[in-house]
Amino acid sequence: MNEDTIAAIATALGEGSIAVVRVSGPEAINSVAKLFRSKHDLREAASHTVQYGWIIDPQSDRRIDEVLVTVMKGPRSFTAEDVVEISTHGGIVAVKSVLELVLRHGIRLAEPGEFTKRAFLNGRIDLAQAEAVIDLIRSKSDRAFQVARRQAEGAVSKKIFPLRQQLIELIAHVEVNIDYPEHDVEDVTAELIRSNCRQVREEVNELLQRSNEGKILREGIVTAIVGRPNAGKSSLLNALARENKAIVTDIPGTTRDIVEESVSLSGIPLRLLDTAGIRETEDVVEQIGVERSHGALNDADMILLVLNRHEELHEDERKLLQQLKDRSTIIVVNKIDLPEKLDTAEIERDYPSERIVYLSAKEGQGIEQLERAVTGMFFSGAVESGDITYVSNTRHITLLHQTRQSLEDAIQATFEGVPIDLIQIDITASWESLGQILGDAAGDSLLDQIFSQFCLGK
């Protein structure tokens, strides 16, 4: 348990109905009690109750704010310590005044993520659950939130723990065989190693198979909308954003710089980049915009190449079609509400039908087809988030790959006649890699790196 008591504002700064100052640590209740005036002594309040009163500056007896104070005694709190939450009036002045008063009376300002870090260090949650908290805060879609919520509840941990248990039992068996070889035969032990390692490997493979989908739900897809001027790129961005974010005119070359917008498409978060029309131009400003379009093209996870159905295919578009056919590209044939002049046979030779979408961005027709194309490109079937356990954290994915490699090395070693005491090294390595996901033996530098990403009050 930590010896010092910490405090921070737990709500976003700005105007609102209430704001919350969170205090956690062994002196949380006693310290706040000295500043709180009510009919009842805060130190005698039952856990998980709310008390009405005033925060008072004890030196001047001046009232700071009318508040509600919630008391949660450890270990039945988020940090597993005594926690007090002071609900003040919303607004910057009121909540900062209360926090400054609290900090003047023996309580220090919390570091970023320190409340969650204490929950981890005090054994209330493991590291995988702690990391999911920040994903909850940063979720960009309902499905991303649901995935993060399941991880925060321990969905990933519940998958990892029995695998570690299976491996530690295998390690124990190998240890017995090493110490008492007369009670076992090496051939039996080798088969046992192969069987157990294969079982664990299959479970790890299952988690890794959906890890790319989980990572997409967590981080989103950087999507570049490219094409020639006046193809309807800005209209497509506005249709997906469901509001007029980009200027749309009949004049080619309206977009000179990259316009960004975050949207959720069938529960998949997309970071849309509406780029300048790609063409040869003498306009210096437009040239800069075209250069930036090529840069966005190179950095994008997915590309929406917009073609104008009302115009014949241009040489610039032919070059783009060839350049992008090996990338995650969806061809958006726009302006289906106008007479057709585009020969689509040339497109269909290089792109399968599921990667070609026909729509009218201006009229909002065909957006559902685009949603299905995006889902089909990145997900094996429909996007799900109910009972499926997604691994979305890059650190976890890396450790799962390390686990699988160690297991494969152990399996291969059994066929090569490697002594079991050496095979045990690979088994132990896989057990340790899984343990790092849960935070076993996590170093201070790793913890500092993870929790520094959090806001002050979390």
Side-chain angles (χ1 to χ4, degrees), residues 395-455:
R395 189 182 73 86
H396 300 169
I397 294 170
T398 300
L399 289 166
L400 285 173
H401 279 292
Q402 292 176 9
T403 300
R404 182 170 64 183
Q405 186 59 56
S406 297
L407 291 169
E408 289 174 350
D409 291 343
I411 293 168
Q412 183 61 32
T414 63
F415 290 109
E416 295 174 353
V418 175
I420 60 172
D421 56 334
L422 296 180
I423 298 175
Q424 184 190 10
I425 296 173
D426 290 321
I427 302 172
T428 303
S430 62
W431 178 77
E432 289 174 346
S433 294
L434 291 175
Q436 288 180 50
I437 295 175
L438 304 181
D440 283 10
D444 291 340
S445 59
L446 174 62
L447 296 180
D448 291 342
Q449 179 185 350
I450 290 172
F451 291 107
S452 65
Q453 302 174 55
F454 285 61
C455 54

Side-chain angles (χ1 to χ4, degrees), residues 237-295:
L237 180 137
N238 290 341
L240 294 174
R242 293 178 174 82
E243 58 180 306
N244 293 326
K245 287 288 185 178
I247 298 172
V248 176
T249 72
D250 293 328
I251 303 170
T254 303
T255 302
R256 299 296 187 92
D257 204 350
I258 294 175
V259 178
E260 294 191 25
E261 180 64 18
S262 294
V263 304
S264 177
L265 200 67
S266 290
I268 305 171
L270 304 184
R271 185 173 141 228
L272 298 175
L273 308 176
D274 178 22
T275 65
I278 296 177
R279 65 171 176 177
E280 296 293 332
T281 178
E282 299 298 323
D283 187 309
V284 176
V285 177
E286 191 176 355
Q287 284 178 355
I288 296 172
V290 172
E291 289 174 4
R292 292 184 177 180
S293 297
H294 284 291

Side-chain angles (χ1 to χ4, degrees), residues 346-390:
E346 191 173 345
I347 305 167
E348 292 168 352
R349 281 200 302 267
D350 293 320
Y351 289 84
S353 59
E354 62 269 16
R355 291 176 61 186
I356 304 174
V357 174
Y358 297 86
L359 56 76
S360 171
K362 181 180 178 181
E363 302 297 330
Q365 301 175 25
I367 299 298
E368 297 84 0
Q369 186 186 355
L370 178 58
E371 292 181 358
R372 288 194 295 271
V374 172
T375 302
M377 178 169 287
F378 288 95
F379 289 81
S380 52
V383 183
E384 302 172 85
S385 57
D387 295 329
I388 292 178
T389 300
Y390 288 103

Side-chain angles (χ1 to χ4, degrees), residues 26-300:
E27 291 300 315
I29 297 174
N30 287 335
S31 296
V32 176
K34 297 173 184 176
L35 312 174
F36 181 61
R37 183 169 296 173
S38 177
K39 292 182 179 179
H40 306 285
D41 190 333
L42 196 66
R43 286 163 288 216
E44 298 175 0
S47 183
H48 293 76
T49 59
V50 180
Q51 312 295 319
Y52 164 77
W54 289 81
I55 292 294
I56 306 291
D57 186 341
Q59 293 182 340
S60 62
D61 209 35
R62 180 173 65 91
R63 288 185 173 188
I64 304 299
D65 195 19
E66 186 179 20
V67 298
L68 292 173
V69 174
T70 306
V71 176
M72 291 165 280
K73 296 180 179 180
R76 294 176 55 230
S77 71
F78 177 65
T79 62
E81 304 172 330
D82 287 348
V83 172
V84 175
E85 291 187 348
I86 307 169
S87 298
T88 74
H89 285 94
I92 296 174
V93 175
V95 69
K96 287 189 71 176
S97 297
V98 171
L99 177 63
E100 288 170 359
L101 182 64
V102 168
L103 295 179
R104 290 203 306 267
H105 287 79
I107 299 174
R108 70 167 173 82
L109 184 66
E111 298 172 358
E114 190 169 2
F115 293 99
T116 308
K117 186 177 183 179
R118 289 189 173 203
F120 164 67
L121 293 174
N122 293 333
R124 186 184 176 277
I125 56 176
D126 59 45
L127 193 55
Q129 291 174 284
E131 289 173 284
V133 172
I134 196 167
D135 292 340
L136 280 171
I137 297 169
R138 294 178 177 174
S139 297
K140 299 179 179 67
S141 69
D142 288 342
R143 283 191 171 91
F145 179 83
Q146 290 169 28
V147 169
R149 178 185 56 77
R150 280 182 50 77
Q151 292 175 349
E153 291 172 352
V156 172
S157 308
K158 289 172 185 175
K159 289 280 188 179
I160 299 299
F161 182 80
L163 301 182
R164 295 196 79 217
Q165 191 63 30
Q166 186 172 352
L167 288 174
I168 199 65
E169 289 173 2
L170 178 60
I171 291 169
H173 181 92
V174 173
E175 287 281 2
V176 170
N177 182 260
I178 294 170
D179 293 339
Y180 305 100
E182 67 275 10
H183 294 293
D184 202 352
V185 292
E186 194 157 329
D187 288 344
V188 174
T189 302
E191 181 54 41
L192 186 68
I193 290 172
R194 281 195 288 270
S195 175
N196 278 270
C197 287
R198 283 169 176 163
Q199 289 175 19
V200 176
R201 183 184 62 182
E202 289 307 308
E203 294 289 337
V204 170
N205 278 335
E206 186 177 326
L207 290 171
L208 284 172
Q209 282 170 3
R210 285 194 171 271
S211 64
N212 187 53
E213 300 173 8
K215 192 174 180 182
I216 287 171
L217 289 174
R218 179 179 186 253
E219 300 177 3
I221 304 171
V222 178
T223 306
I225 305 175
V226 300
R228 277 182 53 76
N230 213 29
K233 300 183 297 300
S234 297
S235 296
L236 179 59
L237 180 137
N238 290 341
L240 294 174
R242 293 178 174 82
E243 58 180 306
N244 293 326
K245 287 288 185 178
I247 298 172
V248 176
T249 72
D250 293 328
I251 303 170
T254 303
T255 302
R256 299 296 187 92
D257 204 350
I258 294 175
V259 178
E260 294 191 25
E261 180 64 18
S262 294
V263 304
S264 177
L265 200 67
S266 290
I268 305 171
L270 304 184
R271 185 173 141 228
L272 298 175
L273 308 176
D274 178 22
T275 65
I278 296 177
R279 65 171 176 177
E280 296 293 332
T281 178
E282 299 298 323
D283 187 309
V284 176
V285 177
E286 191 176 355
Q287 284 178 355
I288 296 172
V290 172
E291 289 174 4
R292 292 184 177 180
S293 297
H294 284 291
L297 200 61
N298 294 331
D299 296 337

